[in-house]
């Protein structure tokens, strides 16, 4: 299955009920369209190749936010989930 992408940045609602087998967390993209995280940029092509075949693995790309947001630690993906 091809990749599915969340909005950028992702909301918790967008990952609540997912059918994909794998979740890949990426930095958000800057105004230039590039991921701000160098590690994310390094693996972006490999991830796309891995999930491209229509009969292959299913994956969801979750964009975690811009660098300043990520560094302050207030992003939903960086905090423990609320237990009910």
């Amino acid at each position: 299955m091809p990749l599915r992408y969340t909005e950028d940045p992702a909301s918790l609602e967008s990952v609540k009920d997912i059918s994909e087998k794998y979740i890949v967390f990426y930095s958000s993209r800057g105004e230039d369209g590039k991921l701000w995280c160098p590690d994310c940029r390094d693996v972006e092509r490999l991830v796309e190749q891995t999930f491209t075949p229509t009969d292959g693995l299913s994956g969801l790309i979750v964009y975690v936010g811009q660098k300043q947001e990520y560094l302050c630690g207030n992003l939903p993906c960086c905090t423990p989930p609320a237990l009910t």
Side-chain angles (χ1 to χ4, degrees):
M1 264 181 109
L3 284 168
R4 188 169 66 92
Y5 298 83
T6 64
E7 68 272 6
D8 187 358
S11 68
L12 287 179
E13 290 300 314
S14 65
V15 295
K16 191 173 182 179
D17 296 314
I18 61 169
S19 60
E20 290 79 12
K21 233 179 166 177
Y22 297 92
I23 301 174
V24 179
F25 292 93
Y26 271 164
S27 67
S28 289
R29 295 183 183 277
E31 291 181 15
D32 60 0
K34 295 181 181 177
L35 300 166
W36 62 259
C37 172
D39 294 331
C40 296
R41 288 192 305 265
D42 287 347
V43 300
E44 184 176 22
R45 188 173 193 179
L46 176 62
V47 169
E48 288 175 358
Q49 291 172 345
T50 301
F51 291 95
T52 297
T54 54
D55 61 344
L57 303 170
S58 61
L60 175 67
I61 299 291
V62 177
Y63 293 106
V64 300
Q66 294 300 329
K67 189 173 187 176
Q68 273 59 356
E69 298 166 321
Y70 179 77
L71 292 176
C72 76
N74 289 331
L75 295 169
C77 67
C78 299
T79 57
L83 301 175
T84 55

